[in-house]
Amino acid sequence: MFNPQSQIENSTCEIKYELQEKNIKVLVLDDESIIPELKSVVQILQGYNFIFQSTNCDNEFKKLIREIKPNLIISELHINEIEGKEQLNYCRMVYPEIPFIILSAHTCNKSALTFLEMGATDFLNKDTISALPATIYKALRQSHEKIQIKEARQQRWEDAQRFKGLIEYSHDPVITYDYDGTITYASPAIERVLGYKVEEFVGTNVIDHIHPEDLPIRENAYKTLLNSELNFETINEERLLHKNGHFIWAKAIISDARLIPGIEGIMTNFRDITIAKNKTCDLNNTIEILTNQNNRLLNFSYIVSHNLRSHTSNIQSIINFLEITDDPGEQEEMIQHLKEVSEALNETMTNLNEVVSIHSGDHLKIESLSLRKFALISLKTLKSKLNAINGKVHFNIDKNLMINFNKSYLESILHNLFYNAIKYSHPNRRLDLEIDIVNEDEFDVLIVKDNGMGLDIEKYKNKLFGMYNTFHNNKNAKGLGLFMSKNQIEAMKGKIEVEGSINNGCTFKIYFKK
């Protein structure tokens, strides 16, 4: 026997808690006489405050749906010459997320099918009005989930637009091109560096802008990129043809973007190094400044490649899971994960936006930051990976401790340290990650200790912080994390040290200048 109360109680408690505190506005397209019966039937849904408003006039219905924006619509099939199809179409056009339930005295399977095909949430006969509470609860829950997914997708779109803004306002040009070399996109900086307007540059072939003697360098870089596990390759020097006919010297980073929707080809960002190339050594100071700026540009590129990829991969995985699961509990859990990852991504984008807006490499924005807050945020983004290996974190950082640091660098350093501890955890024991802080003279020292696989410090001490160096048989290792962290820490007048041995874990010490 059908038991609506039982069905409701068996539904997800978390979603019920989200909904039961809300006032549920119900717009009824029927005679007002139906309201008392509806109120009586929905009393079974305890904890909800249903506010009913009825109309049997088409114009008033359209007015009310905009004015009160109901949480639910209940409609009769035919009332006062009004046919529900027009109202259903109007509702789907204006507010498609509002559930639309047909509750009719007319029994017609064909009509029911027609309305369901048009987008109605459900179709009930008034003879079975006892089924209405369960139908309402299910409809409200699904509406809630759809709104959450819609908001998450909107956030993804906004993040994409923000990332596009970073590229559009970058001081250095960014271009994309297909397999044949035809340029499909160029950022506005192309006019400053090569003299071409964007519309002039797009559609030309990248080979036409490279000095003939440097083409082998570019071709070798392509081959290395396409046959390597790395997704980018650096060309330290090549000559590019300016619109005015002369060549400039450029340093380029070529990225494999064949699997990125909207690009599906190669992406290159480059900077003009002509001055640095042509100047002599009585100019060493200028070269040093340019080198620092270039290192920071590379750091920015690595942060984008290394950190954002983790966020966007998590978002895509969660979205894919949402699309295939029908379990309300799993859906709500995934939505919460999506919110957490989206918030972390949004903060990363904000920090990167500050970095890219800096005009001089000697003026990185330094702020007083809560080390505890940033460490907790980083651990939160890695929560699913920690849970997957049943890892445990012992956390001891004073909430009042503040350090003077760059936001983006701090986020990157903490992410790399915690992620490496998880990635290289020992397969035969649970990860215990200890995070502590000590005071040493002019430094606040962050200690990150794990009981993972460890490595031979003496053997690799000269290579440990080198670029592209890896020390375990992990095919996904890129050899960027420690290199990035060391450069970022030293740029902030700090230092990094490591202790450890094979099978006994590692202890990293990060010295933050007071």
Side-chain angles (χ1 to χ4, degrees):
M1 182 175 180
F2 178 77
N3 187 337
Q5 179 66 46
S6 175
Q7 180 169 329
I8 292 165
E9 290 175 349
N10 289 334
S11 299
T12 303
C13 293
E14 292 182 4
I15 297 178
K16 183 175 180 181
Y17 179 79
E18 287 283 338
L19 294 175
Q20 71 179 11
E21 299 300 327
K22 296 181 180 179
N23 292 324
I24 307 300
K25 295 176 288 186
V26 184
L27 179 57
V28 180
L29 184 59
D30 201 344
D31 291 331
E32 189 174 357
S33 59
I34 190 68
I35 299 298
E37 185 176 6
L38 291 176
K39 288 182 177 180
S40 175
V41 170
V42 299
Q43 285 181 354
I44 194 173
L45 292 168
Q46 299 177 1
Y48 292 84
N49 180 27
F50 286 93
I51 304 170
F52 290 92
Q53 191 161 350
S54 68
T55 179
N56 55 13
C57 172
D58 179 53
N59 289 334
E60 187 178 12
F61 171 81
K62 293 177 180 177
K63 177 183 177 183
L64 287 173
I65 195 174
R66 288 184 177 276
E67 287 181 353
I68 68 174
K69 193 178 180 183
N71 303 100
L72 176 69
I73 294 174
I74 298 177
S75 174
E76 170 62 87
L77 271 181
H78 301 284
I79 181 73
N80 291 354
E81 305 300 326
I82 297 175
E83 185 173 343
K85 290 182 181 179
E86 182 178 347
Q87 287 68 43
L88 175 58
N89 281 330
Y90 186 79
C91 179
R92 295 279 76 83
M93 176 182 67
V94 179
Y95 295 118
E97 69 274 13
I98 298 178
F100 196 106
I101 298 174
I102 305 295
L103 181 63
S104 178
H106 303 276
T107 304
C108 178
N109 291 335
K110 184 177 181 181
S111 295
L113 181 59
T114 299
F115 274 85
L116 291 173
E117 289 176 344
M118 290 174 61
T121 306
D122 213 331
F123 188 107
L124 294 177
N125 190 279
K126 287 183 178 179
D127 291 340
T128 59
I129 197 171
S130 61
L132 185 60
T135 301
I136 289 176
Y137 184 80
K138 178 182 177 182
L140 291 175
R141 186 186 66 196
Q142 291 177 344
S143 175
H144 175 74
E145 292 168 356
K146 288 178 181 178
I147 291 172
Q148 293 297 315
I149 293 173
K150 180 181 178 181
E151 290 175 351
R153 286 176 174 166
Q154 175 67 19
Q155 184 64 52
R156 287 182 65 197
W157 180 85
E158 291 176 0
D159 291 339
Q161 292 301 107
R162 192 177 292 108
F163 181 73
K164 180 181 178 183
L166 291 174
I167 298 298
E168 292 287 319
Y169 291 102
S170 173
H171 192 63
D172 298 318
V174 177
I175 65 173
T176 64
Y177 40 95
D178 59 22
Y179 302 111
D180 298 325
T182 301
I183 297 169
T184 55
Y185 168 83
S187 67
I190 199 69
E191 183 173 3
R192 182 188 64 79
V193 176
L194 292 182
Y196 293 92
K197 293 186 179 298
V198 170
E199 57 268 25
E200 294 176 323
F201 202 71
V202 172
T204 62
N205 196 288
V206 68
I207 294 177
D208 297 333
H209 302 284
I210 301 174
H211 194 288
E213 294 178 2
D214 294 337
L215 284 176
I217 298 175
R218 176 65 70 120
E219 291 172 357
N220 287 334
Y222 283 145
K223 291 179 181 177
T224 302
L225 176 68
L226 300 179
N227 294 321
S228 171
E229 291 185 356
L230 296 175
N231 64 346
F232 68 91
E233 182 70 17
T234 301
I235 299 178
N236 290 316
E237 294 179 355
E238 68 175 357
R239 286 162 287 183
L240 302 178
L241 182 63
H242 194 278
K243 182 180 179 181
N244 293 338
H246 65 276
F247 284 92
I248 68 163
W249 285 96
K251 182 169 186 174
I253 298 177
I254 305 175
S255 301
D256 183 357
R258 291 175 294 173
L259 299 180
I260 298 179
I263 299 180
E264 298 172 351
I266 305 298
M267 180 172 70
T268 298
N269 64 290
F270 60 90
R271 67 167 23 195
D272 185 350
I273 60 169
T274 304
I275 296 177
K277 180 69 179 178
N278 294 335
K279 288 290 185 179
T280 63
C281 60
D282 51 341
L283 297 176
N284 284 337
N285 187 46
T286 301
I287 293 174
E288 183 179 355
I289 292 174
L290 289 172
T291 301
N292 288 337
Q293 290 176 338
N294 188 59
N295 286 337
R296 288 188 178 123
L297 170 66
L298 290 173
N299 261 330
F300 175 75
S301 299
Y302 298 149
I303 292 171
V304 172
S305 174
H306 199 261
N307 289 16
L308 295 189
R309 181 172 56 217
S310 174
H311 292 313
T312 55
S313 176
N314 284 340
I315 290 175
Q316 189 61 55
S317 296
I318 293 170
I319 292 293
N320 289 341
F321 191 87
L322 276 170
E323 291 177 344
I324 63 174
T325 183
D326 293 323
D327 184 88
E330 291 182 344
Q331 290 174 342
E332 185 68 9
E333 182 182 356
M334 289 301 104
I335 288 171
Q336 293 305 316
H337 285 321
L338 191 59
K339 287 180 180 178
E340 294 173 0
V341 176
S342 182
E343 288 171 2
L345 175 58
N346 187 60
E347 183 164 352
T348 299
M349 296 300 295
T350 300
N351 294 340
L352 291 176
N353 193 43
E354 292 179 1
V355 173
V356 82
S357 65
I358 296 170
H359 297 293
S360 170
D362 290 335
H363 293 84
L364 272 172
K365 185 175 181 181
I366 309 299
E367 299 177 75
S368 179
L369 307 174
S370 168
L371 183 58
R372 177 184 177 90
K373 173 186 173 183
F374 276 77
L376 288 173
I377 290 174
S378 184
L379 288 170
K380 193 173 184 180
T381 63
L382 294 168
K383 182 178 179 181
S384 62
K385 296 185 183 298
L386 269 169
N387 291 341
I389 61 170
N390 196 29
K392 186 173 183 180
V393 178
H394 308 273
F395 191 85
N396 184 27
I397 299 180
D398 189 343
K399 65 180 180 180
N400 296 317
L401 175 65
M402 307 297 287
I403 61 172
N404 296 317
F405 219 82
N406 175 265
K407 277 185 179 179
S408 185
Y409 282 7
L410 181 59
E411 180 184 61
S412 178
I413 291 165
L414 294 174
H415 176 85
N416 284 328
L417 288 175
F418 299 159
Y419 181 72
N420 279 349
I422 296 170
K423 183 164 62 173
Y424 300 115
S425 60
H426 200 284
N428 298 327
R429 58 177 174 258
R430 184 190 71 183
L431 170 65
D432 281 322
L433 180 60
E434 300 179 17
I435 303 171
D436 205 347
I437 195 83
V438 297
N439 188 293
E440 289 189 18
D441 299 326
E442 58 183 356
F443 295 98
D444 289 313
V445 185
L446 175 67
I447 300 176
V448 180
K449 181 179 180 181
D450 65 63
N451 63 339
M453 296 166 61
L455 53 85
D456 191 334
I457 301 296
E458 284 300 313
K459 179 178 179 181
Y460 296 116
K461 62 182 178 180
N462 295 325
K463 297 181 178 181
L464 189 60
F465 296 102
M467 189 174 179
Y468 304 138
N469 291 333
T470 58
F471 310 99
H472 297 90
N473 296 323
N474 188 325
K475 65 179 182 179
N476 295 319
K478 305 296 184 183
L480 291 176
L482 292 180
F483 169 79
M484 290 165 53
S485 298
K486 182 176 185 294
N487 279 268
Q488 291 161 349
I489 292 168
E490 291 178 350
M492 296 289 101
K493 311 301 182 185
K495 60 181 179 178
I496 182 170
E497 297 176 351
V498 61
E499 301 171 356
S501 59
I502 296 175
N503 291 325
N504 291 316
C506 288
T507 300
F508 284 89
K509 296 182 178 180
I510 294 78
Y511 291 76
F512 295 102
K513 186 82 172 177
K514 291 183 180 177

